[in-house]
Amino acid sequence: MDLGIKGKRGLVCASSKGLGKGCALALAEAGVDLVLNARGAEALDATADEIRSRYQVSVTTVAADITTDEGRAAVLEAAGDLDILVNNAGGPPPGMWSDWERDDFIKALDANMLTPIALMKAVLPGMMERGWGRVVNITSQSVKSPIPVLGLSNSARAGLTGYVAGTSRQVAPSGVTINNLLPGIHATDRAIGLDTGAAEAGGISIEEAKHNREQTIPARRYGTAEEFGQTCAFLCSQHAGFIVGQNILLDGGAVNATL
Ligand code: NAP
């Protein structure tokens, strides 16, 4: 399907690996020129080279921590006038409700709520003036169904979701859509990290921990970064202009809910 976004300009944050990389690859396949970001330059440059060699698009990289003021300023300067923004950053660590102090919450809020809000605030005026824009925030299935050990993530992402619910309705008259993509368990480094933690806690192998988690998913497998990226690219396409303020689950049916 032609997504109708060839020649658009997109920023994908936290995109050297995992879900962000999946989004970058799918947008590049659709002909979008990209600005990519991650903290580590080596993996970021490798991903940029891979995309340049597979697709005829321009790729600029900015190695920076997107959760800092300086990092966002550097990324936004390189990005210029954007048509597409994909917000992403690493997720907060697991723990117990009693572990976390104010500073832990501030860090999680900075990474998973205030950073995407700051980036939206920076790019929305230009998109609205030009009459076209697409924003996709990578959040989590925990927005719909809490993951108890990820209390910091549950809290920060719920805040972002509330912001998007109202803001998306305010910018939609200008041809700009904002939606959230909610990953369930996907086969990325993050998932391997959580499997490793479960294996250590349960005294089992990582393979067993993965198998156990797969059994909690009706599709009986982890999602892939590729299928996640293709959904993101569709939400950024011309065809998705009537999808506004939605929270779209990609979880193999793991969240057991009718709506
Ligand atoms: P991942 O495989 O660990 O990849 C994370 C990517 O983000 C890397 O490219 C990393 O590169 C970059 N990154 C991390 N922190 C950054 C920062 N502060 N500034 C700039 N770049 C940063 O993670 P993932 O599985 O794709 O997860 C992406 C997001 O989805 C996370 O917020 C995660 O919590 C959420 N999520 C994932 C799953 C899942 O099953 N995978 C499920 C639910 C939610 P550098 O380390 O070099 O910066």
Side-chain angles (χ1 to χ4, degrees):
M1 189 199 298
D2 179 0
L3 297 185
I5 49 177
K6 190 171 177 357
K8 297 280 189 197
R9 190 165 172 77
L11 163 61
V12 187
C13 302
S15 52
S16 65
K17 298 178 189 171
L19 303 179
K21 179 179 175 183
C23 297
L25 279 162
L27 287 169
E29 187 182 358
V32 174
D33 293 320
L34 291 172
V35 177
L36 303 185
N37 151 261
R39 291 164 304 181
E42 200 178 324
L44 183 62
D45 289 342
T47 292
D49 285 345
E50 181 185 340
I51 292 176
R52 286 187 200 104
S53 70
R54 286 175 65 177
Y55 306 109
Q56 301 306 307
V57 295
S58 101
V59 184
T60 304
T61 58
V62 183
D65 185 338
I66 199 67
T67 68
T68 64
D69 288 341
E70 310 77 57
R72 284 190 295 277
V75 168
L76 286 169
E77 192 181 336
D81 288 342
L82 282 173
D83 305 299
I84 293 168
L85 166 65
V86 180
N87 273 316
N88 186 31
M96 277 294 285
W97 62 270
S98 49
D99 294 340
W100 303 311
E101 304 299 338
R102 179 183 163 78
D103 282 353
D104 301 304
F105 281 100
I106 296 297
K107 211 168 158 201
L109 292 173
D110 263 339
N112 299 116
M113 178 184 171
L114 299 175
T115 287
I117 289 175
L119 290 170
M120 281 188 266
K121 194 151 181 257
V123 307
L124 285 172
M127 290 178 174
M128 293 167 76
E129 206 179 298
R130 293 186 292 280
W132 198 95
R134 299 281 185 267
V135 178
V136 174
N137 300 297
I138 299 179
T139 63
S140 172
Q141 70 176 18
S142 67
V143 168
K144 291 207 183 238
S145 175
I147 302 171
V149 293
L150 293 179
L152 293 171
S153 171
N154 297 337
S155 308
R157 297 189 199 278
L160 175 63
T161 304
Y163 175 86
V164 166
T167 305
S168 60
R169 270 88 183 172
Q170 292 180 315
V171 302
S174 302
V176 178
T177 71
I178 312 177
N179 292 286
N180 302 322
L181 263 186
L182 284 52
I185 303 175
H186 282 71
T188 67
D189 288 355
R190 166 94 171 161
I192 294 168
L194 293 174
D195 287 342
T196 306
E200 281 165 8
I204 54 176
S205 68
I206 295 176
E207 292 69 34
E208 263 180 287
K210 177 169 189 261
H211 177 77
N212 291 346
R213 288 217 293 161
E214 281 173 341
Q215 297 314 300
T216 67
I217 306 171
R220 294 289 188 268
R221 66 174 177 87
Y222 288 3
T224 68
E226 289 74 21
E227 58 198 349
F228 189 89
Q230 292 295 340
T231 309
C232 175
F234 179 77
L235 281 179
C236 296
S237 75
Q238 294 293 356
H239 313 300
F242 210 50
I243 303 177
V244 170
Q246 297 304 299
N247 291 282
I248 296 167
L249 261 178
L250 281 170
D251 69 342
V255 171
N256 192 35
T258 304
L259 290 175

